[in-house]
Each structure stands twice: as C-alpha cells, then as structure tokens.
Amino acid sequence: TNSRCHTDMAAYDFNGGDCTWSDLKFSISNNGVKVEPKSAGACNFGQMNIPHTPNKFNALQFHIHTYSEHEIEGTGNGGFFPAELHVVHQEETEASFAVFGTMINVGPEPHPQFEGFLQGWEAAAQKVEDDCAILTRNIRGLQTGAVQQAVTCAAPGFGEYLNGTTPTFPSDVVPNVYELPTNPDFGTFTYKGGLTTPGCTEIVNWNLLDTPMLISQDQLARLEKLILCYVGKEFQDDGVTLNR
C-alpha cells in the first residue's frame, strides 16, 4: 500500500560501477528494452548491499517493462504506472538474485541521464531500419533491388528514430543506474519473491522504490514507441535475406 514504509535504508549501499556509455549494449525486444555491458567483465555495472544479507549483489543489466508489473495502492490508475524499471543483480555467491526497481511516471521535465539510455535504444532501432533499407535480395537469379518494409504504429504523434546510428550521449552524465531515481529521499518495499518469467524460481530479493522515477511525456512516448513498434532482424544462412 501507499502508507509510509519503514525500511532500514542504512542497510542499503549502492556503488555505480565504472561502465562508460561506450561499454554498454542496448537491446530491444517485444516486451521491453534492456541495457547491459557489451561483454562479461568488460566493466563493473554496479553493486549494492541490501538488508538481511552480508553478501554483495552485482548488477547484471537493467530492463524496462510497459505497463508496470507491480501496483501501489492509492496512487491512481488502479495503482499501476506507465512503466517499471528493474536493475537485476546476482549475489556474489551466485546463490540468489536481487532487483532494485522503480516505477516510472510522467513529470514536468526530461530526465537527463535517461535521455542517454533512450538515444542508445533509438540507435539500436535505427540500425535495424537502416539494414532493412539497404539490403538487396536475389530470388531465383533475379536482382530485386533494395528491400524495406515499413512498420506502422497505431498511436499518432511519435517522432522518428535517430538520423544515423550514433547517439549523442550526455558528456557530463555518467551511466549510474542508481542515480536514475529522481527523488533521492526514497524508501523501499521489500519482499522475497521470484523471477517474473518462467520458471518463476523463488530466488529474488525484491526492492521496489516507493517513489516513482519521473521522465517527460515525450520521453515516455519514445520509450513506448521503441517497445510497441519493436522490429527484429534475422539473417538467413545465405547471408543476404533479412526478415523484419
């Protein structure tokens, strides 16, 4: 519920790690967007301590769902939010996992650090669009020329992806996932739970902020476009056929 929680915040400790924007891989699927280091051990994505366990938890990736998976009673919209962010961690002993999560809602201003992540995902989406635009196919010996299939989204008012494949990351902002919450005076709802994907194993320490992270309406629209207009690509064995 939305009653004030009494979390022992002194038992939490967050270390943002040392990843730079160029160390990160941006990916999109039909159920969300994700950020993770390009390769294991390439950089430290972050680390946290949580109450009731002496072991540290190492950040592996973060992803975002739309709509939210949790609801907080008394917050409007039936307790749900437009989106929910999960930073997934693994215990240093590899015995369990922990999630540092926050609801996402619309605020009056753009979120500077979130803008960098948005542009990373938009660049990934633009790369697929560009690949499809320049691809040529040869069917039964006949050259068919450039192949491009457009995706049309029902929701109006969305802008274009980046013009090109290189995002403009904010040079004065480091990608620290623990600095994404816009209100530093947060508490957490904590419970022992499970993975939200099969086999839903009960090995997750959930830590959900009681105060949502705020992004602008434009940023939310772009996030929704990335997920709802998801387009995947797959090269066939001959190396030239691209399915979208």
Side-chain angles (χ1 to χ4, degrees):
T1 69
N2 199 31
S3 59
R4 188 68 180 176
C5 49
H6 301 283
T7 311
D8 180 13
M9 294 307 298
Y12 282 90
D13 183 53
F14 304 103
N15 183 337
D18 57 12
C19 290
T20 65
W21 292 106
S22 61
D23 291 324
L24 300 180
K25 173 184 177 182
F26 297 84
S27 56
I28 308 166
S29 67
N30 61 1
N31 66 352
V33 293
K34 182 169 73 171
V35 176
E36 60 191 327
K38 290 180 178 177
S39 59
C43 62
N44 175 10
F45 198 36
Q47 192 176 67
M48 74 174 181
N49 287 85
I50 63 176
H52 313 304
T53 175
N55 297 322
K56 295 183 182 296
F57 287 81
N58 298 312
L60 304 178
Q61 48 99 340
F62 84 75
H63 58 267
I64 297 175
H65 303 277
T66 60
Y67 227 44
S68 67
E69 289 190 332
H70 290 82
E71 60 177 323
I72 302 176
E73 186 177 290
T75 55
N77 295 321
F80 287 99
F81 290 81
E84 183 173 339
L85 181 151
H86 296 155
V87 187
V88 180
H89 299 71
Q90 186 173 36
E91 192 174 3
E92 58 185 354
T93 62
E94 301 185 0
S96 68
F97 291 85
V99 170
F100 172 77
T102 179
M103 306 298 178
I104 298 177
N105 211 348
V106 174
E109 301 292 337
H111 190 302
Q113 186 171 178
F114 189 70
E115 177 64 28
F117 291 114
L118 264 179
Q119 291 196 24
W121 290 313
E122 288 173 334
Q126 185 68 57
K127 183 64 168 60
V128 175
E129 297 289 339
D130 293 345
D131 287 345
C132 291
I134 64 174
L135 182 72
T136 60
R137 298 173 58 186
N138 190 323
I139 302 176
R140 296 181 181 177
L142 299 176
Q143 190 70 31
T144 61
V147 174
Q148 182 173 16
Q149 300 175 4
V151 171
T152 301
C153 292
F158 288 132
E160 298 299 323
Y161 291 127
L162 294 178
N163 294 321
T165 60
T166 304
T168 305
F169 293 121
S171 59
D172 58 339
V173 177
V174 295
N176 183 343
V177 295
Y178 305 120
E179 291 182 354
L180 284 173
T182 43
N183 181 358
D185 184 25
F186 59 77
T188 61
F189 300 105
T190 65
Y191 68 94
K192 297 282 189 177
L195 301 171
T196 62
T197 55
C200 302
T201 314
E202 298 283 328
I203 54 173
V204 180
N205 299 276
W206 283 90
N207 304 267
L208 295 171
L209 275 59
D210 62 358
T211 305
M213 164 185 156
L214 301 179
I215 62 177
S216 69
Q217 183 64 59
D218 175 72
Q219 288 178 323
L220 176 62
R222 290 158 61 196
L223 174 66
E224 290 175 334
K225 177 185 177 182
L226 285 163
I227 298 172
L228 298 178
C229 300
Y230 163 73
V231 173
K233 65 179 181 179
E234 177 181 329
F235 285 94
Q236 302 298 321
D237 291 341
D238 60 9
V240 296
T241 301
L242 181 66
N243 293 331
R244 300 182 55 204

